Amino acid sequence: MTGSPKPIVLLLGEVLHATKEWDELAGIAELRQLNHGNRKQFLKNCHSGVYRGLLAISRTYDSVELTGRFDQELIDLLPQTLKFISHNGAGYDQIDAEACANRGISVSNTPGAADASTANTAIFLLLGALRRAHVPATALREGRWRGSMGLGHDPDGKTLGILGMGGIGSAFALRAATFGFDIQYHNRNPVVHSSSNPTKARYVSFEELLRTSDVISIHLPLNDATRGLIGRKEFRKMKDGVVIVNTARGKIIDEEALVEALERDKLFAAGLDVFDKEPEIHPGLIKSDKVVLMPHVGTSTVETQRKMELLVIDNVRNALQRGSLLTPVVESRKSRM
């Protein structure tokens, strides 16, 4: 007699830092991989039954190049046997998690694993923006010493407004406090547990945060409520000379409005790791000497990438062995209630 066939797991993209742990899953699952192709081919394969019998998908952030967004069109073509998607990333806007929940597919992300690295990147961008560090750094490499560098600003005593006091926001607050900031924050609701607000930052309304902050740092997920949250109206409410930092998602800020605010000196500077149409960058941001730019590398450290991959693998293993994900996203948690 032959045993029951192993459940099938499809890896979209590459595992680079936890290969041993991924390979060990072969003891309990049939592992398949897709690391080339495009959305058209993926949809065709789904439609023709190439992935028939699939139980779980493990996907990387960059695998969106292979499949496109997991939207309603794609989700409708996934095999009925698929029950789990383990996503590598804290943000999961590449997946329509609500549509997945309606299909009975649970989705997980990697909360916590990316907190420190992303918070460190935000601090780097914050300090760089306060000094407009791009100007002297570029001049130095071009043999012009400091170039046309002006004076920057110290963080001490400045009011820092944090939009989103989740894991990354609270990790950022903890680091920012050491620089002497007076910290306030806005969430949909005030945080209840002290561990989520280690600096005892005060809760303020969205309007008050915009109006009173010297620096605003964005740590929100991208969803229908936050898309375009910061636009022309919001910039007009801010202090003159405000500094903006964004390591969350580019689409939270209206980039046209951001460029306009920089050009008319409403903003002193900005530090950006994310953009509206990545990998395209708005020309106004490229040419501005007030912006510190990084190409969405907030989690690009060996240690963080390994932590994220391990959590993705742990989610897959738990799905295979216990029928549930360790870190389901909120839409998946709601569907089980």
Side-chain angles (χ1 to χ4, degrees), residues 266-302:
K266 179 67 177 180
L267 270 65
F268 176 78
L272 307 173
D273 186 46
V274 290
F275 306 91
D276 184 7
K277 298 177 180 178
E278 296 176 11
E280 297 177 29
I281 310 297
H282 193 295
L285 297 175
I286 294 289
K287 73 177 185 180
S288 177
D289 60 2
K290 302 173 184 175
V291 187
V292 180
L293 302 171
M294 294 180 72
H296 203 152
V297 294
T299 61
S300 295
T301 68
V302 172

Side-chain angles (χ1 to χ4, degrees), residues 6-298:
K6 291 179 181 179
I8 303 170
V9 178
L10 175 65
L11 169 61
L12 298 176
E14 303 275 355
V15 172
L16 300 174
H17 304 281
T19 53
K20 175 178 173 289
E21 289 80 2
W22 173 259
D23 290 343
E24 288 173 350
L25 289 179
I28 56 174
E30 177 186 333
L31 302 181
R32 299 181 185 178
Q33 183 176 13
L34 177 67
N35 55 15
H36 64 276
N38 54 45
R39 179 179 176 88
K40 182 179 180 181
Q41 185 62 51
F42 185 71
L43 294 178
K44 181 180 178 181
N45 288 344
C46 287
H47 187 266
S48 63
V50 170
Y51 303 118
R52 187 180 295 113
L54 187 65
L55 177 67
I57 288 176
S58 174
R59 70 180 303 278
T60 67
Y61 180 85
D62 290 338
S63 71
V64 71
E65 301 296 330
L66 307 175
T67 66
R69 186 172 185 265
F70 271 56
D71 56 12
Q72 190 71 60
E73 178 189 29
L74 188 155
I75 291 164
D76 285 344
L77 291 175
L78 293 172
Q80 291 298 316
T81 53
L82 182 71
K83 298 301 178 185
F84 306 102
I85 298 175
S86 184
H87 168 70
N88 190 343
Y92 54 96
D93 46 285
Q94 293 178 344
I95 303 171
D96 186 338
E98 194 72 47
C100 284
N102 292 337
R103 257 285 309 270
I105 301 171
S106 295
V107 178
S108 62
N109 62 339
T110 58
D115 290 357
S117 183
T118 307
N120 291 341
T121 300
I123 290 292
F124 174 86
L125 290 169
L126 168 55
L127 297 178
L130 283 170
R131 292 293 187 98
R132 289 183 178 169
H134 164 72
V135 177
T138 301
L140 184 65
R141 291 181 181 277
E142 294 175 348
R144 298 185 290 110
W145 193 227
R146 294 173 182 158
S148 57
M149 182 190 95
L151 294 178
H153 291 286
D154 290 325
D156 308 72
K158 300 285 192 301
T159 298
L160 169 61
I162 297 176
L163 279 175
M165 191 67 93
I168 296 171
S170 61
F172 174 73
L174 195 61
R175 288 156 172 75
T178 64
F179 292 97
F181 281 106
D182 175 31
I183 303 175
Q184 58 188 12
Y185 76 98
H186 178 74
N187 271 355
R188 284 176 297 179
N189 300 295
V191 296
V192 176
H193 302 292
S194 59
S195 60
S196 299
N197 185 9
T199 62
K200 296 183 173 56
R202 65 186 175 279
Y203 178 81
V204 296
S205 69
F206 180 55
E207 299 291 323
E208 184 176 350
L209 185 140
L210 295 179
R211 183 171 47 82
T212 61
S213 297
D214 300 303
V215 178
I216 296 174
S217 190
I218 300 171
H219 304 280
L220 297 166
L222 178 65
N223 52 43
D224 290 341
T226 63
R227 192 181 313 274
L229 180 68
I230 306 295
R232 290 180 177 85
K233 181 177 71 172
E234 288 71 31
F235 282 120
R236 285 196 295 269
K237 294 177 181 179
M238 295 177 192
K239 286 184 175 183
D240 291 340
V242 68
V243 171
I244 297 286
V245 174
N246 189 8
T247 55
R249 287 292 186 266
K251 292 183 183 297
I252 294 172
I253 300 179
D254 179 339
E255 278 190 359
E256 288 290 344
L258 173 61
V259 169
E260 289 174 11
L262 287 162
E263 289 177 345
R264 60 186 175 84
D265 292 327
K266 179 67 177 180
L267 270 65
F268 176 78
L272 307 173
D273 186 46
V274 290
F275 306 91
D276 184 7
K277 298 177 180 178
E278 296 176 11
E280 297 177 29
I281 310 297
H282 193 295
L285 297 175
I286 294 289
K287 73 177 185 180
S288 177
D289 60 2
K290 302 173 184 175
V291 187
V292 180
L293 302 171
M294 294 180 72
H296 203 152
V297 294

